[in-house]
Amino acid sequence: MEQKTGIFLVTSGEHPTLPLSEAKAILDAYKVDYRVGETHYKLVELEAPASAADLVAKRAGYVEEAGIEIFHSLPEPAEIKKTMRSLDLTRYISPQESFSIRVARYGGISKEVSRVKLEAELGGVMLSQIAARVDLENPIRRFRGMLAGPYFHFGLQTFKRPRGSVGRRRPRKRPAFHPSTMVPKLARCLVNLACATEETVFLDPFCGVGGILLEASLLGCPVLGVDALRRMVRGARRNLVHFGTLPFGMILADARRIPITKVGAIATDPPYGTGASTLKATTKEILRDFLPEAREILETNHRAVVVSPLGTGVSALAEDSGFKVLEDHRVYVHRSLTREILVLSKR
Ligand SMILES: C[S@@+](CC[C@H](N)C(=O)[O-])C[C@H]1O[C@@H](n2cnc3c(N)ncnc32)[C@H](O)[C@@H]1O
C-alpha cells in the first residue's frame, strides 16, 4: 500500500463547502485512504498517498492546483528560511533541473510578509543546497509557498489546471445552447459528489443540452441522458460529440418513469424557472414523483445528487423516498435564486 504523505490542494475559492466535499467524494470513490488536515480558505491539506494529489486535481471542478507538502512553519521569514535550510531539498529536485518558487497569500493574512522578497530568499536557500537553475517562465520543478491561516506552507506542485481548459467548455462555446444549462465547474462538481468513476454508469434524468452529462463523459463514465424534449436529447448528443465523447445512451422519456433498470450514480438539475420546460408540473411535484423512481434504479450504497431551488422542501421529499441525506450545500445564483444541492445515498 502507498504510504501517506502531506498533500495540498488549492481550490478556486468560489464556494465555502463544495470544493472540500468534492475532493473527499473523489477520494471516497477511488477508495483512497486519507485524512483531512487543516483547511484555510483556498488551501486544503490532506494526509494521503502522494498520487491522490493529481487524482483529485485532474478530476475536480473546483481544484486549481495540487502538490506534495514539504514543510510548514510559522509565517515569519526567518523561521521559514531556518526550517527550509534544515531539510534535504535534493529529494525534490536534481542539479540538472530548473525551478521556480512562487508565494501566494490566501485570505489576506500575513500582510507584513513580502511575497516577492520571500520568493527570492527561498530561491537563495534552494541554490545553497543544489546547483539547479532558476527559470520563472518554464521551470521543470514548481515550488509553491502559501501564506494561509496561521502557517506558511511550502510544497512541490504536481498539477496545475491548464489555462483555458474550463473556458473551452463554457455553455456558449458548445454547439447546442440553452439558458438552463449548467456551468462546467459546478456540473463537474456534481458528478464528483455522486462518486462517479470510469466504472460507474452515470445518469442525468433531466439532462437538457447535457451540461452535467458532458462533464461525466469527459471523466470517462459511461453516461445515460434522459430528457422529455427531443430537441434537448439531440442537443446533448451534439454537445458530447463536439467534445469527442459519445453517450452510452440518450433516451427521450419522462424522468418520473425512467425506462432504465440500474445505474451507479445520478446527478441532476430538474427544471425550475430557468426557461426549462417543466411539462406543466411544479418543481416540487416533479421531485416528489422523480425521487422514488431514482431510488429504485440506483444501486444500493450509491449516490444521487439533486439540485433544486431553495425552499422546495427537497430534503423531506428525499427522506420520504427512502434516501439518506448526506450533505446539503447552498449556492447563491442571484437575488431570486439560491440553489440547494443535496447529496443523497441509497441505503
Ligand atoms: C434545468 S434543465 C437541465 C439542464 C442540464 N443539467 C444542463 O446542464 O444542460 C431541466 C431539463 O429537464 C427537462 N424536463 C422537464 N420535465 C421533465 C421530465 N418530466 N422528464 C424528463 N425531463 C424533463 C427539460 O426539458 C430540461 O431540459
Side-chain angles (χ1 to χ4, degrees):
M1 212 205 316
E2 215 185 320
Q3 257 196 341
K4 277 199 254 180
T5 185
I7 68 173
F8 70 87
L9 307 174
V10 179
T11 69
S12 65
E14 276 162 81
H15 192 273
T17 57
L18 285 172
L20 178 58
S21 283
E22 182 185 26
K24 284 162 62 179
I26 294 170
L27 294 168
D28 289 339
Y30 284 88
K31 304 197 170 20
V32 175
D33 183 21
Y34 71 96
R35 190 183 69 78
V36 178
E38 304 209 355
T39 64
H40 302 289
Y41 180 39
K42 289 185 175 188
L43 180 67
V44 174
E45 289 188 299
L46 302 166
E47 286 286 320
S51 57
D54 287 21
L55 171 74
V56 173
K58 283 179 183 162
R59 296 185 76 82
Y62 288 124
V63 175
E64 312 253 293
E65 60 174 283
I68 308 301
E69 176 149 326
I70 299 173
F71 73 88
H72 65 264
S73 75
L74 290 175
E76 284 121 34
E79 188 66 29
I80 297 169
K81 283 184 279 178
K82 192 171 124 205
T83 312
M84 191 164 164
R85 278 196 204 99
S86 71
L87 295 168
D88 176 14
L89 299 169
T90 60
R91 290 176 55 199
Y92 304 100
I93 180 168
S94 56
Q96 305 77 29
E97 292 178 326
S98 57
F99 74 96
S100 68
I101 299 180
R102 294 284 189 206
V103 174
R105 190 190 322 271
Y106 300 131
I109 47 104
S110 301
K111 286 217 169 103
E112 65 293 348
V113 180
S114 157
R115 293 188 296 123
V116 177
K117 193 158 166 247
L118 191 56
E119 285 169 356
E121 290 177 349
L122 298 186
V125 176
M126 186 71 79
L127 291 170
S128 71
Q129 280 199 24
I130 193 142
R133 193 166 42 83
V134 175
D135 181 348
L136 299 181
E137 294 301 313
N138 200 17
I140 294 174
R141 302 277 168 204
R142 292 171 196 268
F143 293 94
R144 292 290 263 119
M146 292 158 282
L147 291 156
Y151 295 113
F152 171 80
H153 308 258
F154 189 76
L156 177 64
Q157 186 187 81
T158 56
F159 179 87
K160 182 163 172 59
R161 196 210 308 274
R163 206 182 281 260
S165 57
V166 178
R168 272 196 290 281
R169 312 199 304 273
R170 275 205 314 268
R172 291 276 181 194
K173 298 251 171 174
R174 302 177 199 152
F177 173 78
H178 189 273
S180 70
T181 202
M182 191 162 275
V183 291
K185 285 190 201 176
L186 179 57
R188 172 71 62 108
C189 174
L190 301 181
V191 176
N192 285 320
L193 288 174
C195 285
T197 71
E198 296 85 343
E199 312 294 319
T200 320
V201 175
F202 174 90
L203 168 71
D204 180 352
F206 299 90
C207 73
V209 288
I212 302 173
L213 277 190
L214 175 62
E215 297 303 318
S217 194
L218 292 173
L219 285 173
C221 310
V223 302
L224 293 171
V226 169
D227 201 285
L229 297 182
R230 190 177 300 277
R231 66 172 188 279
M232 295 294 186
V233 171
R234 284 193 179 144
R237 178 185 283 280
R238 268 176 74 206
N239 283 343
L240 263 66
V241 168
H242 177 76
F243 286 93
T245 73
L246 272 180
F248 188 50
M250 295 297 306
I251 304 165
L252 179 66
D254 189 324
R256 295 168 291 184
R257 289 178 293 280
I258 309 171
I260 297 170
T261 44
K262 270 290 166 261
V263 295
I266 297 174
T268 197
D269 182 28
Y272 48 85
T274 44
S277 165
T278 57
L279 307 185
K280 300 202 173 94
T282 65
T283 304
K284 192 165 186 155
E285 285 164 351
I286 292 175
L287 287 168
R288 188 198 59 210
D289 296 342
F290 156 69
L291 284 165
E293 187 78 352
R295 189 182 174 282
E296 186 65 33
I297 63 165
L298 186 64
E299 287 176 43
T300 306
N301 293 324
H302 285 235
R303 290 182 176 192
V305 177
V306 178
V307 181
S308 59
L310 190 61
T312 318
V314 61
S315 227
L317 292 172
E319 279 171 352
D320 289 350
S321 314
F323 277 114
K324 181 174 182 206
V325 178
L326 299 179
E327 296 174 14
D328 185 343
H329 305 269
R330 312 278 157 98
V331 179
Y332 176 85
V333 183
H334 51 68
R335 217 149 44 108
S336 43
L337 177 63
T338 294
R339 284 175 167 146
E340 181 169 12
I341 297 174
L342 283 196
V343 182
L344 308 172
S345 160
K346 174 172 172 176
R347 292 176 284 198

